[in-house]
Every structure is written in structure tokens, then in C-alpha cells.
Amino acid sequence: MNPLKHVAIIMDGNGRWGLRYKNSRNAGHKAGLSTVEKIIKETIKNKIKFLTLYAFSTENWRRPKTEINYLFKLLENFLKDKIEDLNKQNIRLKIIGIKSFYPKLNKLLDISEKKTFKNNKLQINLALNYGSKSELVNACKVLVKNKDKINESNLTKYLQTEGIPDPDLLIRTGNTKRLSNFLLWQLAYSEIFFEKKLWPDFNEKDYNKVIKNFKKIKRNFGKI
Ligand code: FPP
């Protein structure tokens, strides 16, 4: 059985779900947040140490302002309501991506990260304003500036995921098969599961089914 330390998820399908059932994309994001909470609980039950969630990509700025504002407000309210609870549960929150939002949200993200810094039951990496290509370019710039030897382990040091093991498993919901500029370096050897269900419909049972199937895979890492 494969050990499972790190699950990464592309939570796709909120917009379609919202339009289909509530005639509003934003309603889909709200429903998607409930799925986030369910999946966090189930991740703890499965004793998985790292959960990386793609919440907002560098490309998502191309969406209408009203949708962007709604997403950030949802995140702000979530952190205000839940950060104490996450902290009590010994969960660490880390942001990967560039924290450049409105001042209130930037501050709340900083506070949440600092408050939970020492926690070690589960680390949630929230990818916000994250893009893998720019992460790699920035890492290269630092590598060159520091005159470090160019090799894999030195490059890895300057990624935002420094110190985090690579994902063992990537799940993408929403019936779309692409990586959308997410963790392109870190996913080099991850097992990838594409799920037909839209993110708000994805539930604990679906998650456990993926985990069960992941555990059965023969992972070779290039060997035979
Ligand atoms: C992709 O679905 C989803 C997002 C860009 C946002 C993800 C946000 C959440 C799950 C809720 C908020 C989470 C937190 C942690 C506050 P899409 O909108 O691209 O869906 P579509 O492909 O159907 O349009």
C-alpha cells in the first residue's frame, strides 16, 4: 500500500454547478467552500499530513470583478470564522502564491499563517494568486542572484513549496483534464485522478474511493 502524505486538489466546477442549480456562479463558490470543509475533515481522518488546494490562480484575475470580489470575501469570512477552530485542531495554514490582495485580506492571511505556524497535525497549503510558471521563473532568478549551483535540489529550495514533500496524489474535479499552471515541477511523479463530478458535488465517499485506488497503484518512480 502506498503511503499518502500529500494530496493536492484542483477544485474545478464551482461556476458550472452554480449556474446549473442556482443560476449564479458565485453560489457555486459558496457550495464549493462546504466541500472544502468536508475534505479537510476527511483528510485528517485519513492521517494525511499535507493538503494543497488551488483556490485562485494568477490567470483567475481575468474573471469578472464581481466574481473575484465574491471569492475573496468568501475567503475573508471563512478565515474570520474558522481560523481559531483550525488552530485548535492543530492545523497549519500556509499560503502559496503572491499575497497581493486588498490590505484587510493580506493582513488576515498573514495573521492566520503566523497563528498556526507551529501546528503539525495537518498543513493546508492554500494556493492563492498562484502560478507555477512564475514560481519557477522567480526561483531561477534567486538561484542565479545567489550564484548557487544549478541543480534540482537548489531550485527546489526557492519554490514556494520549500520544505513540503511533493504531492503523492493530484485530484482534479470538474471533468476537465489539464493542470492549469498548478505545481508543474512538484507534480512530476504524482498520481493524477480526474473526477467527473463538479467540486461542490464531490464528497467524502468520492474522496475515499480515490484514496483507496491510489493506495493500490504500483508506483515505480522510473524503476521497474
Ligand atoms: C474553480 O471552479 C474554482 C475556483 C477558481 C475557486 C475555488 C474556490 C472555492 C472552492 C471556494 C472558496 C475556497 C476557499 C478556501 C475560501 P470554476 O469557477 O473555474 O468552475 P467552472 O470551471 O465550472 O467555471
Side-chain angles (χ1 to χ4, degrees), residues 11-16 25 29 33 55 60 63 71 75 199:
M11 311 180 285
D12 193 19
N14 287 350
R16 277 166 285 163
R25 288 183 56 83
H29 293 309
L33 185 56
N60 286 150
R63 294 187 177 206
L71 270 169
L75 175 62
W199 178 247

Side-chain angles (χ1 to χ4, degrees), residues 183-214:
L183 302 174
L184 301 177
W185 174 279
Q186 298 88 335
L187 292 173
Y189 263 103
S190 309
E191 304 299 331
I192 304 182
F193 284 70
F194 294 107
E195 286 293 309
K196 285 208 168 72
K197 277 192 179 178
L198 305 174
W199 178 247
D201 287 330
F202 190 71
N203 59 33
E204 295 90 336
K205 206 170 151 206
D206 302 317
Y207 189 38
N208 282 313
K209 201 165 140 197
V210 172
I211 291 173
K212 198 172 157 203
N213 287 332
F214 162 83

Side-chain angles (χ1 to χ4, degrees), residues 62 72-73 75 112 125 163 180 200 222:
R62 296 178 192 146
F72 292 161
K73 206 70 203 161
L75 175 62
S112 304
N125 307 305
S180 301

